[in-house]
Amino acid sequence: MERSSEEEAADDEEDEDQAAGWTVTPGGLEEGTPALKAPTGGVPDPSVDLLALRLCRELVYQDQETPERETGPTVSRSVMSESQAERDAPSVSPSSLVDTFSPSISSLSSYFSTHHHASLSSSSSSPSVLSLTPPLPPSVELPALLTDTRLTLDVYKGGAAALPLLWGSIPGQLKGLQYLRLGSEDKPGLDDALDVLPHLTELRSLAVRGHCFYDSQGDPLPGLLTTLPASVSSLCHLVHLDLSFNQLTGLPSCLLSLPVLSTLLLCHNRLSDLPPGIGQLSSLTYLSLLGNELVSLPWSLGQLNALQTLDVSHNLLQRLPEEIGSLEELVKLELSHNNLKQLPESMGSLLALRELAIYSNNLRLLPQSLNKLPLLKIDVRDNPLGQPPTPPPLSPTPDQAETKIQELHLGFNQHSFCVSPAGCHVFLPGGAELLFPPGCLVATTRLKWAEKRPERKWVWLEEHGILLSRPLELRPHGITFLKPVEVCVPYHRTQRREVVVQRFDGQSWSSLPTVLRRGSESHSSHPGGRPARLACCAVSQFSWFMVVSRPVKDSCSVTPAGALLVSSADPGVKLHFPPDSTVQARTITLQVLQVSVSEVQAVCGDPQARVSPLLCLSQTPSIHFLQPIKVQVPLPSGVTGHTVDTSCLYLLHGDPTAQTWTDITSQVSLYVTHLYAIFYVTHFSWYWLWYTTQRCVSGAVRKVYQRLKQFKVQFLVLQRKTDPSQVMLQCLPANRVDGRVQSLSEQYDGPQPSDLCDLLEGEQFFAGFERGLDISTERPDCVQGRLCFVFYSSLKNLKEVYISPVQGQKGPVRGQVSFYRGEFPSNLPEEVAKKRKGPDNQWLATLPLRLPALNSENNFIMEELQYPPLNLGDPESGYLTEANLLSISLQIAHDWRVIGINLGLSYQELDRIQYKYRDNLGALVLDMLFHWARGQRNAGPGAASRLVAAMIESGRRDLADEIEDIVRIGRRKYSESLRRVGLEEPHNTGVDEPTLGADV
């Protein structure tokens, strides 16, 4: 079975970070595992599924051991079990854990509701008699929501309505709350809960967020919070406040009276301005206003003297106040995706600033004062820096004004659609767009689309051309449109090359005038990600279309009056056509290909070798010129007219048809200036200037030129962990292999990538299975038992197949898959077949495969993976468990890197983690925290203390306090259990709980 969607999207989309927490995705992965996902999108990462699965297995394992512990000896019962420690910790609500992940683990939710809550009620010394039904589900009990200092009500839909119910029944237990989380999707329940807030005077952290739940279509439910009651100002201990994903249109005035508030998140609301009184929040260190409608910022923002992070990205800001330069403690400033045209010079006073994100604005100039900040890192992508200002567009006349046309979004199974004379904007799966203007058709017409495999019969490339998309066929071919139709094909990223759309009319390929842009915001090739890159062209008829990159082409028309053509890729390359060099007008095309000097030296074996850019000249019609044409080319790198040894300077002429190179130095008039070489020719082809000590250069030139068209590639053969008969084969350029292996490591097992091989763009190769392995030969890409591939460097070159033992095979199979260049070998002697090395050999690589034995039901015998429990407390206590770490990780967000450094992780480890999860902030934070935690297993006592110290040093005192509370509660429960069985003197346990020391 081949998965065709694997080649459709590149792994190079740049997703913006957002500091708004986690959201729940409506579905899991291919195997049905749960998925965690950051709010800005990206494909759910399988490594997060593994952590969730480990956590669920751990809880199941602990529950299964509980009866045995209860029936054991008295001393065994006196020691607090690990599951009991998790129940008592603030973050251990099983339902919370289920809701933290995905609705796709509803089966696990039913387990927890029947087993874990039963365990809670049976083991608790004082079972709850308070009924929470309604508003909560019948299976929910109080210990699952409330600990000594924490109440979590955002894991059940409508859970906020339980707060007034609890306040009316057990007000004494609620008065000591320090951490409270509420969902804001239920307006009546939320309003009643807000009336209770002023009574919770010990609160340190409060979250009232939307987007906690999803409707039946998978869309997030919006938060309905529009304001806060004035009495909230009585929460004088509040340090952390999160009101994201709500409908606030203004900053509630009661927040300005909170004296110690240090973290304020107002992401994704409807704020259009901020009050001048915001400067009163003197303790504020983190302020996020991401995703609002702010047009300007007040001058009083400069009074936030303690502010370290300010995020106002994805707003409508047109300017910044000069007072922003007064934020002396500001370390990170996020201004991306606004309408800023200039930055104030006062920003040069931000001496503590280390990160400045200003991409996707309208900045043409940066303040000179920023040069005074040598440690500042600036991201300036997608700004017209250095470009002259453009005049505003003329307003359209009434008859030119365009009316909004209908949008049509197609699915993968919809390959036809209808377009009426009113026009239509069609969005195809994968990112392609078709824009039919009004009046392009006389009557409603049914059209079709199809995406072809990039086989050689569908793809034609010029020399040094690279395929950036799959061929797109639009039908019917014979239809003619009254107005041009815009066809936009998604393509992969390329560097320093020209991107063009090529069209096949059934006879030949031709290049079309191409405009590059991003796709519509409402249509992203990756759910939640940035829109696709599009190459757009206007056509009057349908046919086949594909996107290619090539060296930049410069063209001009030469008349009898003469002309001058200068390369846009290298201004040092010039062609001067004198008068009377031609009788009729002809079109001249120039391409300049830059060549790496180090690669030339390595291939030809001459450390002194230098080369100029390669010139590819062509003309239409192809006839000799009447006058010599002056060609100027830069001298090879490191060579000047004063130091050049002309005996080592060679001008080579290339024949693109015969692929040969000839030394023509003695046949042309060649002279040098200080920087350039100049010669005259009467016909066009390829020209290349070499500086080398070798006497016979033609052979070296052929080798170097052939290498310019080749890619260093490696082969992957991976087997799915849950089904080893499902095998993925892939060929990738060597620089993309490491990232691909890391992204697949959680789902696939397999050998290391193969050694380096050389392949050409569009070259065909085969993969054959050997030594007891077989595949289905009914596949259309299977040729005599071998899979056929065509290599394209920007595509994924991937096939997924099912393998099986050959007929009659019993027991495990240790086979292999071999990759062959060109037509696969046959009828070779055994001694030749064993020799699979050498550049001229037909074999490219051979990698091993292993199939386990089959049982009586023809199923593979699989070993179930065992994951040891993770415990960061002392061996006898288990204060800080995997469940606690998971809850803590949800609050770390963008502080993960500084926390990782303070935990002792190396910069190399952090860079590896960041690259692996570059599209998923949540998975990135989890991996960093658990990577450190696993390293603490054998580090001895003190892991919890080290974690608290790292949080304090990183400026996250709120997390440090929460960890201390977790450990303090666990220690107290442990001491009480020892006292009950007489293993500890009463006077040793009657004192106040000790603070978290270095021995924890």
Side-chain angles (χ1 to χ4, degrees):
M1 165 184 168
E2 180 174 352
R3 186 163 37 180
S4 61
S5 63
E6 283 289 338
E7 297 178 0
E8 291 173 359
D11 296 329
D12 56 321
E13 289 291 323
E14 306 101 2
D15 290 70
E16 285 77 34
D17 291 335
Q18 299 190 15
W22 291 64
T23 58
V24 184
T25 57
L29 287 180
E30 193 171 350
E31 279 82 354
T33 54
L36 269 178
K37 185 181 140 191
T40 53
V43 178
D45 197 285
S47 66
V48 184
D49 308 333
L50 184 60
L51 293 175
L53 184 59
R54 291 185 57 190
L55 179 56
C56 296
R57 287 183 176 177
E58 174 66 14
L59 290 174
V60 173
Y61 173 76
Q62 292 163 357
D63 285 331
Q64 290 173 346
E65 285 191 347
T66 303
E68 182 180 350
R69 292 175 182 173
E70 291 181 353
T71 57
T74 304
V75 176
S76 299
R77 285 200 310 268
S78 66
V79 180
M80 183 180 63
S81 67
E82 191 171 355
S83 60
Q84 183 180 349
E86 292 187 2
R87 289 197 304 269
D88 294 329
S91 60
V92 166
S93 166
S95 302
S96 174
L97 293 174
V98 172
D99 246 305
T100 303
F101 293 103
S102 165
S104 65
I105 54 173
S106 57
S107 59
L108 290 178
S109 176
S110 63
Y111 171 84
F112 282 121
S113 63
T114 56
H115 286 71
H116 208 70
H117 290 311
S119 174
L120 281 169
S121 60
S122 63
S123 61
S124 174
S125 58
S126 57
S128 170
V129 295
L130 176 63
S131 173
L132 301 177
T133 307
L136 302 183
S139 59
V140 179
E141 297 181 2
L142 185 59
L145 306 173
L146 179 64
T147 66
D148 289 359
T149 61
R150 184 187 192 94
L151 178 60
T152 305
L153 293 175
D154 62 343
V155 294
Y156 302 100
K157 191 173 180 180
L163 183 60
L165 176 64
L166 293 173
W167 176 253
S169 303
I170 50 173
Q173 290 184 242
L174 295 191
K175 288 183 177 180
L177 280 182
Q178 296 184 18
Y179 308 96
L180 175 62
R181 298 184 65 88
L182 301 173
S184 57
E185 76 287 343
D186 177 32
K187 183 63 173 175
L190 176 64
D191 291 340
D192 293 338
L194 294 179
D195 294 335
V196 179
L197 285 183
H199 303 287
L200 309 180
T201 56
E202 298 299 318
L203 274 184
R204 295 175 52 83
S205 176
L206 172 63
V208 185
R209 290 167 47 94
H211 282 207
C212 294
F213 304 95
Y214 291 75
D215 59 20
S216 58
Q217 284 75 36
D219 296 322
L221 295 176
L224 303 179
L225 180 69
T226 57
T227 187
L228 289 176
S231 53
V232 170
S233 59
S234 62
L235 303 180
C236 58
H237 297 294
L238 197 63
V239 174
H240 173 271
L241 179 60
D242 187 354
L243 304 177
S244 303
F245 297 98
N246 281 293
Q247 300 182 27
L248 296 173
T249 57
L251 187 70
S253 58
C254 60
L255 301 185
L256 304 179
S257 304
L258 301 177
V260 296
L261 186 65
S262 66
T263 300
L264 178 58
L265 292 92
L266 300 168
C267 313
H268 298 285
N269 278 276
R270 299 178 180 177
L271 300 175
S272 57
D273 58 10
L274 296 176
I278 194 173
Q280 301 174 27
L281 298 175
S282 57
S283 300
L284 206 60
T285 61
Y286 185 99
L287 175 60
S288 178
L289 299 163
L290 179 149
N292 281 278
E293 302 170 2
L294 296 173
V295 178
S296 62
L297 298 176
W299 63 269
S300 57
L301 195 72
Q303 298 178 354
L304 302 178
N305 298 326
L307 195 63
Q308 299 179 10
T309 300
L310 174 60
D311 188 350
V312 288
S313 58
H314 291 268
N315 277 277
L316 305 174
L317 294 177
Q318 299 180 3
R319 62 178 180 83
L320 296 178
E322 287 287 336
E323 290 77 8
I324 199 170
S326 303
L327 302 177
E328 299 177 352
E329 300 297 324
L330 195 64
V331 176
K332 184 175 182 179
L333 178 58
E334 286 274 354
L335 300 170
S336 58
H337 289 277
N338 279 286
N339 299 325
L340 294 172
K341 296 182 179 180
Q342 63 181 5
L343 299 178
E345 285 287 339
S346 61
M347 291 181 63
S349 302
L350 302 176
L351 301 181
L353 193 62
R354 294 296 179 267
E355 296 181 46
L356 175 60
I358 54 176
Y359 55 87
S360 298
N361 277 280
N362 195 24
L363 296 169
R364 300 180 184 274
L365 188 66
L366 296 182
Q368 292 292 332
S369 59
L370 292 181
N371 296 330
K372 303 176 184 177
L373 309 176
L375 300 180
L376 179 62
K377 295 180 179 179
I378 310 179
D379 190 344
V380 297
R381 291 172 292 151
D382 297 332
N383 278 287
L385 291 173
Q387 299 180 13
T390 55
L394 298 176
S395 58
T397 58
D399 57 340
Q400 293 176 335
E402 295 185 2
T403 57
K404 184 174 179 62
I405 63 175
Q406 177 187 3
E407 291 188 356
L408 179 61
H409 296 260
L410 301 182
F412 281 100
N413 58 343
Q414 297 175 283
H415 286 274
S416 65
F417 55 94
C418 291
V419 178
S420 69
C424 187
H425 193 174
V426 181
F427 297 91
L428 303 181
E433 298 182 17
L434 307 175
L435 182 58
F436 299 88
C440 66
L441 290 170
V442 176
T444 300
T445 307
R446 179 167 291 277
L447 306 174
K448 298 181 179 180
W449 70 278
E451 216 173 38
K452 299 290 186 180
R453 289 193 181 96
E455 300 174 1
R456 290 190 292 181
K457 65 179 179 179
W458 295 113
V459 177
W460 174 82
L461 297 174
E462 300 174 345
E463 286 286 323
H464 308 290
I466 295 177
L467 181 65
L468 298 182
S469 74
R470 304 178 71 179
L472 175 65
E473 182 183 12
L474 302 175
R475 293 180 293 173
H477 294 170
I479 189 173
T480 300
F481 299 103
L482 302 180
K483 293 182 179 180
V485 173
E486 186 178 30
V487 176
C488 298
V489 185
Y491 68 94
H492 297 255
R493 181 171 55 187
T494 185
Q495 296 179 352
R496 298 183 181 180
R497 297 172 71 92
E498 181 181 28
V499 176
V500 296
V501 176
Q502 291 192 341
R503 172 187 174 184
F504 182 61
D505 58 6
Q507 301 294 329
S508 61
W509 286 93
S510 59
S511 298
L512 300 177
T514 305
V515 176
L516 306 181
R517 65 174 177 85
R518 284 281 183 177
S520 301
E521 292 292 338
S522 60
H523 183 61
S524 172
S525 58
H526 296 289
R530 296 189 65 186
R533 296 179 178 86
L534 297 179
C536 302
C537 59
V539 300
S540 58
Q541 288 187 333
F542 273 176
S543 57
W544 292 266
F545 303 90
M546 68 178 185
V547 184
V548 300
S549 72
R550 64 190 184 189
V552 178
K553 278 189 175 183
D554 296 296
S555 300
C556 73
S557 178
V558 178
T559 64
L564 174 66
L565 178 59
V566 181
S567 169
S568 60
D570 188 342
V573 177
K574 298 180 181 179
L575 305 179
H576 179 72
F577 300 88
D580 301 323
S581 59
T582 180
V583 175
Q584 58 182 347
R586 62 178 78 182
T587 301
I588 305 300
T589 301
L590 165 65
Q591 287 179 291
V592 177
L593 188 64
Q594 301 294 337
V595 183
S596 169
V597 173
S598 59
E599 194 165 3
V600 170
Q601 295 174 349
V603 174
C604 67
D606 181 8
Q608 304 299 322
R610 302 284 191 275
V611 294
S612 73
L614 171 61
L615 307 187
C616 301
L617 308 178
S618 59
Q619 58 176 331
T620 303
S622 182
I623 56 178
H624 285 203
F625 293 96
L626 303 179
Q627 300 289 337
I629 308 304
K630 179 182 176 181
V631 181
Q632 174 184 295
V633 60
L635 286 171
S637 174
V639 177
T640 66
H642 297 304
T643 61
V644 64
D645 182 355
T646 55
S647 63
C648 298
L649 202 59
Y650 299 90
L651 181 62
L652 283 302
H653 169 270
D655 184 342
T657 304
Q659 295 285 311
T660 59
W661 290 90
T662 307
D663 183 1
I664 61 171
T665 309
S666 59
Q667 304 172 23
V668 299
S669 174
L670 176 66
Y671 67 94
V672 299
T673 66
H674 181 64
L675 297 176
Y676 303 103
I678 298 175
F679 57 92
Y680 293 83
V681 296
T682 57
H683 70 282
F684 276 173
S685 184
W686 295 346
Y687 296 95
W688 205 354
L689 193 65
W690 274 57
Y691 186 82
T692 176
T693 58
Q694 293 181 350
R695 293 301 177 186
C696 183
V697 298
S698 298
V701 173
R702 281 196 298 270
K703 290 170 58 179
V704 171
Y705 179 75
Q706 187 70 13
R707 181 66 193 92
L708 291 178
K709 301 191 297 180
Q710 292 177 335
F711 293 84
K712 293 289 186 183
V713 303
Q714 291 179 273
F715 298 91
L716 300 178
V717 177
L718 302 174
Q719 293 178 268
R720 189 174 288 275
K721 292 180 178 180
T722 57
D723 182 7
S725 66
Q726 188 174 350
V727 175
M728 189 184 72
L729 297 88
Q730 190 169 16
C731 174
L732 286 175
N735 61 347
R736 294 168 57 190
V737 169
D738 290 343
R740 182 66 174 162
V741 171
Q742 289 181 3
S743 65
L744 296 173
S745 60
E746 298 296 341
Q747 296 184 42
Y748 289 89
D749 278 328
Q752 292 298 315
S754 71
D755 294 333
L756 291 175
C757 304
D758 292 333
L759 281 180
L760 298 172
E761 183 83 3
E763 183 175 354
Q764 187 180 54
F765 65 94
F766 296 84
F769 293 84
E770 305 162 349
R771 296 186 180 178
L773 297 177
D774 196 8
I775 63 170
S776 170
T777 58
E778 302 300 324
R779 298 166 54 100
D781 58 349
C782 193
V783 181
Q784 298 184 19
R786 267 66 169 173
L787 292 179
C788 177
F789 288 78
V790 181
F791 171 76
Y792 292 105
S793 57
S794 290
L795 303 184
K796 288 195 174 181
N797 312 296
L798 178 147
K799 294 183 188 296
E800 193 155 338
V801 299
Y802 287 93
I803 62 173
S804 60
V806 297
Q807 190 172 5
Q809 176 74 36
K810 296 181 179 180
V813 177
R814 295 182 181 273
Q816 65 187 30
V817 57
S818 295
F819 297 90
Y820 304 93
R821 186 192 304 272
E823 298 297 333
F824 57 85
S826 61
N827 300 325
L828 292 179
E830 183 178 357
E831 60 273 10
V832 177
K834 290 181 178 179
K835 182 181 179 183
R836 301 191 176 188
K837 295 181 180 179
D840 298 326
N841 200 284
Q842 290 178 295
W843 275 280
L844 292 166
T846 298
L847 293 170
L849 284 174
R850 180 180 181 273
L851 278 179
L854 294 171
N855 58 20
S856 59
E857 300 176 355
N858 288 330
N859 295 323
F860 291 108
I861 302 174
M862 301 290 292
E863 295 182 1
E864 186 176 356
L865 297 176
Q866 299 294 330
Y867 301 103
L870 178 64
N871 180 5
L872 286 185
D874 291 334
E876 73 278 9
S877 61
Y879 297 145
L880 197 57
T881 60
E882 206 165 288
N884 306 134
L885 281 183
L886 180 61
S887 174
I888 294 167
S889 71
L890 301 181
Q891 306 175 51
I892 289 179
H894 294 280
D895 295 329
W896 71 275
R897 193 174 185 90
V898 64
I899 291 175
I901 292 174
N902 291 327
L903 285 172
L905 300 183
S906 67
Y907 288 98
Q908 291 80 5
E909 291 172 324
L910 295 175
D911 289 340
R912 176 188 60 79
I913 295 172
Q914 184 174 20
Y915 180 77
K916 182 177 180 181
Y917 301 106
R918 57 189 179 277
D919 296 333
N920 193 331
L921 177 63
L924 184 151
V925 174
L926 273 178
D927 196 23
M928 180 277 296
L929 195 58
F930 278 81
H931 178 76
W932 168 81
R934 294 187 190 97
Q936 300 298 310
R937 287 175 172 170
N938 301 320
S945 296
R946 289 189 285 271
L947 184 58
V948 169
M951 294 298 178
I952 295 175
E953 193 173 355
S954 305
R956 294 302 302 268
R957 183 71 211 191
D958 58 323
L959 291 180
D961 293 346
E962 184 169 348
I963 296 169
E964 287 181 333
D965 286 341
I966 293 172
V967 175
R968 186 179 295 111
I969 292 172
R971 176 176 291 176
R972 190 187 66 193
K973 298 286 187 181
Y974 175 59
S975 299
E976 289 175 354
S977 65
L978 292 179
R979 184 178 46 160
R980 283 197 299 269
V981 296
L983 295 181
E984 184 174 337
E985 293 297 330
H987 66 273
N988 292 335
T989 59
V991 297
D992 294 337
E993 295 91 27
T995 57
L996 185 62
D999 59 338
V1000 177

